[in-house]
Amino acid sequence: MNQGVRLRGFITLVLIAAVLFQINLTDSRATLRQKRSAAKSGGTRVADLFRNNCARCHGVDGAGNTPLGHTYKTPDFRDPDWWRKHSNITSTSSLIGIVSKGKGGMPAFGKKLSRTDIRQLVAHVSRFRNQKSSPVK
């Protein structure tokens, strides 16, 4: 009888361990899925940040061709000449400072957005460089 109780206890422990292992395995798979989803949506997230905070003036495409963009003489971020002529303010650290503290008619976003958000926005804006199509001659 004592041996039967031990066997049932052992089987119960094995079943509990198997259930806990399955729960942990399922949780790990969900976490991996979440990480993959977050990595894929990172570009979408920064695009949404740009659209919600910057596109009013800079335009979704970075061209600055918006009513507010015209009012504030917003640069065309797609224009490689603009990047060259303004190389003193187009480094990553300079752009982070401008987005954080504001400049001219541009408001400061340092209290509204996290440092990570600002860095991602600056990287997003930098991708507009050289996207302007050359005029047809």
Side-chain angles (χ1 to χ4, degrees):
M1 169 127 179
N2 204 6
Q3 195 174 19
V5 170
R6 284 187 189 167
L7 183 60
R8 274 184 265 164
F10 177 74
I11 291 173
T12 302
L13 283 175
V14 168
L15 288 173
I16 290 173
V19 167
L20 290 175
F21 177 76
Q22 182 62 33
I23 290 171
N24 187 34
L25 186 63
T26 303
D27 187 44
S28 295
R29 286 182 186 152
T31 302
L32 183 59
R33 248 183 271 121
Q34 289 168 344
K35 286 180 182 176
R36 284 183 187 149
S37 176
K40 287 181 184 176
S41 67
T44 303
R45 185 179 179 294
V46 75
D48 287 343
L49 272 173
F50 187 82
R51 188 173 19 270
N52 294 332
N53 295 286
C54 313
R56 230 171 275 127
C57 296
H58 294 284
V60 175
D61 63 353
N65 192 14
T66 67
L68 285 173
H70 295 294
T71 299
Y72 292 111
K73 296 179 176 64
T74 303
D76 182 351
F77 288 141
R78 304 168 310 153
D79 184 2
D81 289 336
W82 181 84
W83 288 90
R84 243 185 325 280
K85 290 176 187 171
H86 296 87
S87 61
N88 59 325
I89 62 165
T90 57
S91 69
T92 299
S93 60
S94 293
L95 290 173
I96 287 172
I98 291 169
V99 174
S100 299
K101 299 172 186 160
K103 183 174 192 279
M106 182 173 154
F109 286 91
K111 292 185 180 178
K112 181 179 179 184
L113 301 173
S114 71
R115 288 184 201 168
T116 300
D117 288 343
I118 291 171
R119 278 193 298 270
Q120 289 175 342
L121 281 171
V122 166
H124 184 74
V125 166
S126 296
R127 286 187 206 111
F128 289 126
R129 178 186 276 166
N130 299 324
Q131 287 187 4
K132 187 174 187 175
S133 57
S134 301
V136 179
K137 294 180 181 180

